[in-house]
Amino acid sequence: KQAGQKNKTPAYADTDEMPFGKFIGKPLKTVPASYLCWLWSRRPITNVKLENYIHNNINALKKEHPDGIWT
């Protein structure tokens, strides 16, 4: 997260399972950043906890998938 940026809640943790899609049931920390970026680009995500998880981890995800569009 960026300096001064607050975490949004409610949000999933890294160990929570992906709730839908190609990686359903997999721990979120194992879901590729490229897939989360793809979801992020299609906001709003209907699952608020997942959208907040991506928001809260966006800097780490940008490092894993620097070619993604994270705006």
Side-chain angles (χ1 to χ4, degrees), residues 10-57:
Y12 289 118
D14 286 339
T15 54
D16 289 330
E17 294 180 356
M18 181 67 187
F20 59 83
K22 184 177 179 179
F23 297 96
I24 191 169
K26 303 290 184 191
L28 281 167
K29 66 182 177 184
T30 67
V31 176
S34 58
Y35 184 73
L36 295 175
C37 179
W38 178 80
L39 288 174
W40 186 251
S41 72
R42 282 147 181 79
R43 281 178 293 153
I45 299 170
T46 56
N47 185 312
V48 173
K49 286 178 74 173
L50 181 60
E51 184 163 329
N52 289 344
Y53 172 81
I54 295 170
H55 168 85
N56 295 346
N57 292 284

